Amino acid sequence: CTATNGCGVHIHDGTDCTDKDSQGGHFFESPVTEDPWTDDRYTSDEKGVAKFSGIVDIGSNDVGGRAFLVHAADGSRVACCDLLKSADPDIV
């Protein structure tokens, strides 16, 4: 997973999973000035079970409605979902 975005899991600034343009690029806002997602990766075992965890400072907690992407080892985009906005004001 050494390719750019290889094995990456990222919130993107787009709001749809239709295509690359609607997914956008990695999401982060001021005061963050450099892409914080470059080292955020998943690992998988011999059965293909993947795991990831981590906290990434993206300068915002307003992620509802954004695209969440999973990248293959070669960096290509292999999965996407739209993050839901919570109806609970205490959950961001």
Side-chain angles (χ1 to χ4, degrees), residues 19-79:
D19 56 30
K20 187 176 179 178
D21 290 334
S22 64
Q23 295 164 359
H26 298 167
F27 176 66
F28 59 95
E29 295 183 331
S30 181
V32 177
T33 58
E34 293 185 31
D35 188 347
W37 297 104
T38 56
D39 294 323
D40 203 40
R41 302 185 189 288
Y42 64 85
T43 58
S44 61
D45 65 18
E46 65 281 351
K47 294 180 182 178
V49 176
K51 296 179 183 181
F52 75 95
S53 65
I55 297 173
V56 178
D57 181 3
I58 57 174
S60 174
N61 62 3
D62 184 22
V63 298
R66 305 248 181 233
F68 181 83
L69 276 92
V70 178
H71 295 267
D74 66 1
S76 61
R77 299 173 184 207
V78 294

